[in-house]
Amino acid sequence: MFLDTSRIELEVCTIYYRAITIASTYVERNRPSSSLIFYVKGGHKFDFGSIQFEAREGQMVYLPVGSSYTNTLLSPDTE
């Protein structure tokens, strides 16, 4: 039997919606937990040192535990 690698199965333990106001630039040195972020509107630019990307409305970002990055707000109405 082979694992179907075209699927990802996640068990969702908690879902909550929050729109928070943070500084325009946020630095995370050692993320304490893993997170999935789905952008309803606006977005952020992430800089992991060797990798940079922008996440915008309709996109999802996975941030693993222990990761270090700089997060820059792209729009003041980001949710």
Side-chain angles (χ1 to χ4, degrees):
M1 183 150 200
F2 296 97
L3 178 65
D4 180 0
T5 57
S6 64
R7 294 180 41 184
I8 296 176
E9 295 186 24
L10 298 173
E11 180 179 337
V12 178
C13 300
T14 304
I15 294 178
Y16 59 95
Y17 171 85
R18 69 178 176 170
I20 59 172
T21 302
I22 62 169
S24 60
T25 300
Y26 174 77
V27 178
E28 177 64 66
R29 299 269 183 234
N30 186 11
R31 188 166 183 80
S33 62
S34 295
S35 293
L36 284 172
I37 300 172
F38 178 78
Y39 288 91
V40 176
K41 63 181 175 180
H44 282 105
K45 178 180 179 181
F46 290 89
D47 183 347
F48 286 86
S50 61
I51 298 172
Q52 297 86 33
F53 64 89
E54 291 183 0
R56 297 185 177 270
E57 181 176 330
Q59 295 179 325
M60 185 178 289
V61 174
Y62 170 68
L63 299 171
V65 64
S67 59
S68 297
Y69 55 89
T70 301
N71 182 346
T72 305
L73 194 62
L74 295 176
S75 174
D77 65 344
T78 296
E79 290 184 28

